[in-house]
Amino acid sequence: MPPWGTGESQGEDLAILLVTFSPGDDVPSWWGHGSLVVEDRRRQMSRLYNYGMFSFDEAMLARFAMGRLEFWVGQSSVGGTFRFYQAEDRDVRVQELNLTPEQRVVVAKRLAENVLPENREYLYHHYNDNCVTRLRDMIDVATGGQLREADRAPGRMTLREHTRRYTSVNAPMSVLLDFMMNDEIDRPITKWEEAFLPDELETQVAALQVKGADGQTASLAAKSWNYYESSRRQRPPAAPPPWGPWILALGLALGGLAVGLAVWERQRGSRVARLLLGLENAVVGLALGLPGTALFIMGLVTDHTVTHRNENLFLANPLTLLALPFGVALTWGSQKARMRLFKVWTLLAALGVLGVVLKVLPPFDQDNWRLIALILPISLGMAGAFGLDRVLARLPRADRASAGRRDAVASLKTP
């Protein structure tokens, strides 16, 4: 137990530092990180307290899948931790908190107690209870609730928009995470809730004017400095990237490709077109069916409430995964696969349209227009491709070629 945990340290000798680490390269570190440091400057002792500790093993993966992931607070060397983040080329930014001696004693003692085995574990929640919200709460207690009072103001954006801007470093993963989360993260939030992010808490601490015992106000950040600043890493964008038009273009391109391949196959009797159409169905079925199936299961049996009642199940679900085996069968020339794919995609397209129509009702307010723009054109295009295939299959070859030419000309004239 350090001297501030046993009551040996005097408040005048203590310093409490908020440390902010910039985002890293792997998914868990995209959000950045934060810690608190306690220094006893008379004894020349210090400890860094990190609420982001977890065990990466099979049990952890199972707990995460069920929404029961446990984190704990650990303590480590300040210099060693700073050098670790410097080696990863991640910023290390420090703010010394302007607290009274009594407040420093309270924070230091609580940190020393939190790291004890009987106190250290907590149930992790990415937005509500994480390695930074724990720091926020402790700073708020130390300031007598002044941080929370100041943070009653509306936040700049929703949790989804914050998520989109922090995950913009990887477009496919950003869209996948967007797909998995429901309207819990679309409601208006306060600045207090925005402080689940290290950068946001750092900004709020820098802006907060706290009232002292004498009634005078001063900045909560008494001093600020950079231990290390990366020369190549950029800060997360201030707003989510405007990917909507590009996502829509991709959805239209994939849906249009299916229609084009169906026309090519029937018009020319092309084996290559059939192979490509089957391959597209298999790939799309896998790419959309796996997350759709995972979302369906997580919404039913896990504690990940952010996946429950997710409107994206109108767009992709376990039914979508059937396009994988049927697409493979189509590459081998199976006629039954054509009929089955037509039924699958027609049902998925109908569900997707239903999901859009239901948005006129207040409960269906999920911000999933990016996913609609991507997936619904694919489902409509696939359903249209196999519907057109069925029509062309009934025509004599000469009429089929003529119909194919008319379709091609019509598509060129359509704006």
Side-chain angles (χ1 to χ4, degrees):
M1 179 73 74
W4 49 84
T6 59
E8 300 172 63
S9 294
Q10 301 301 308
E12 294 78 6
D13 301 328
L14 294 175
I16 309 297
L17 313 177
L18 174 65
V19 186
T20 304
F21 305 103
S22 65
D25 296 322
D26 56 292
V27 176
S29 67
W30 283 354
W31 317 91
H33 188 48
S35 296
L36 283 174
V37 169
V38 177
E39 292 182 350
D40 185 326
R41 288 174 173 168
R42 185 172 68 84
R43 289 180 168 82
Q44 296 186 336
M45 293 180 62
S46 63
R47 290 286 188 277
L48 182 141
Y49 293 90
N50 175 9
Y51 283 84
M53 306 295 291
F54 66 95
S55 177
F56 194 86
D57 54 22
E58 292 181 0
M60 184 280 291
L61 293 174
R63 288 193 297 269
F64 173 77
M66 296 302 296
R68 303 291 301 175
L69 184 57
E70 292 181 349
F71 272 44
W72 69 84
V73 56
Q75 59 180 330
S76 60
S77 157
V78 176
T81 304
F82 283 10
R83 287 191 293 273
F84 169 80
Y85 281 96
Q86 181 177 356
E88 290 201 335
D89 197 31
R90 296 170 63 179
D91 294 353
V92 181
R93 304 189 296 270
V94 186
Q95 295 168 299
E96 182 174 342
L97 301 183
N98 185 12
L99 302 175
T100 66
E102 295 77 17
Q103 290 169 336
R104 294 175 218 155
V105 169
V106 169
V107 172
K109 182 171 177 57
R110 181 168 294 190
L111 288 168
E113 291 173 348
N114 279 184
V115 81
L116 296 175
E118 62 269 24
N119 301 325
R120 67 178 192 164
E121 294 182 348
Y122 68 98
L123 189 61
Y124 174 84
H125 188 289
H126 182 69
Y127 297 109
N128 300 336
D129 198 354
N130 66 19
C131 57
V132 179
T133 63
R134 292 262 162 165
L135 312 182
R136 175 201 65 189
D137 296 349
M138 191 162 295
I139 293 171
D140 181 59
V141 170
T143 59
Q146 293 184 66
L147 178 61
R148 184 160 197 152
E149 183 63 31
D151 281 359
R152 292 183 185 275
R156 301 195 322 279
M157 58 188 73
T158 65
L159 294 174
R160 188 183 301 277
E161 290 168 326
H162 277 303
T163 301
R164 286 175 176 173
R165 70 188 185 94
Y166 272 82
T167 59
S168 62
V169 293
N170 186 308
M173 182 59 71
S174 179
V175 173
L176 175 62
L177 291 174
D178 210 8
F179 175 83
M180 299 300 291
M181 292 184 284
N182 63 17
D183 61 356
E184 278 188 18
I185 62 171
D186 293 326
R187 60 179 176 80
I189 60 172
T190 62
K191 291 178 63 178
W192 175 261
E193 293 167 292
E194 283 186 312
F196 82 96
L197 292 163
D199 290 348
E200 293 295 321
L201 180 60
E202 177 189 28
T203 300
Q204 292 177 17
V205 165
L208 182 63
Q209 296 290 310
V210 292
K211 185 179 293 186
D214 57 359
Q216 301 298 312
T217 59
S219 173
L220 179 56
K223 299 177 186 176
S224 301
W225 67 93
N226 292 337
Y227 174 86
Y228 174 74
E229 185 173 8
S230 171
S231 60
R232 70 176 183 88
R233 289 189 188 274
Q234 296 182 346
R235 293 283 187 96
W243 288 347
W246 296 104
I247 289 174
L248 175 60
L250 177 59
L252 291 172
L254 291 172
L257 175 61
V259 174
L261 290 172
V263 172
W264 179 21
E265 181 193 1
R266 284 300 179 183
Q267 182 181 349
R268 301 296 183 184
S270 171
R271 180 172 177 269
V272 172
R274 188 194 76 229
L275 290 171
L276 291 175
L277 183 59
L279 180 61
E280 183 185 7
N281 273 268
V283 171
V284 170
L286 182 65
L288 298 181
L290 278 181
T293 302
L295 178 59
F296 179 77
I297 295 171
M298 292 175 73
L300 285 179
V301 302
T302 75
D303 291 336
H304 287 288
T305 59
V306 77
T307 67
H308 299 174
R309 302 175 304 281
N310 194 317
E311 293 178 36
N312 289 323
L313 287 174
F314 285 113
L315 301 167
N317 49 62
L319 186 63
T320 314
L321 200 56
L322 293 175
L324 171 59
F326 295 161
V328 172
L330 179 61
T331 63
W332 291 93
S334 169
Q335 292 304 310
K336 288 183 178 180
R338 291 180 186 276
M339 178 183 64
R340 290 167 180 167
L341 284 167
F342 173 69
K343 291 179 179 179
V344 166
W345 288 115
T346 299
L347 181 54
L348 287 168
L351 286 172
V353 171
L354 176 61
V356 174
V357 171
L358 287 173
K359 284 192 170 293
V360 301
L361 302 176
F364 296 88
D365 59 351
Q366 186 171 321
D367 180 9
N368 65 335
W369 289 106
R370 290 202 321 182
L371 281 307
I372 291 171
L374 174 64
I375 300 174
L376 186 54
I378 295 175
S379 298
L380 290 170
M382 291 290 194
F386 289 105
L388 180 63
D389 178 75
R390 288 161 65 89
V391 171
L392 293 178
R394 296 190 182 99
L395 295 175
R397 181 172 292 275
D399 292 342
R400 193 184 310 162
S402 176
R405 287 193 295 271
R406 287 198 303 271
D407 288 340
V409 170
S411 66
L412 291 173
K413 291 181 178 178
T414 301

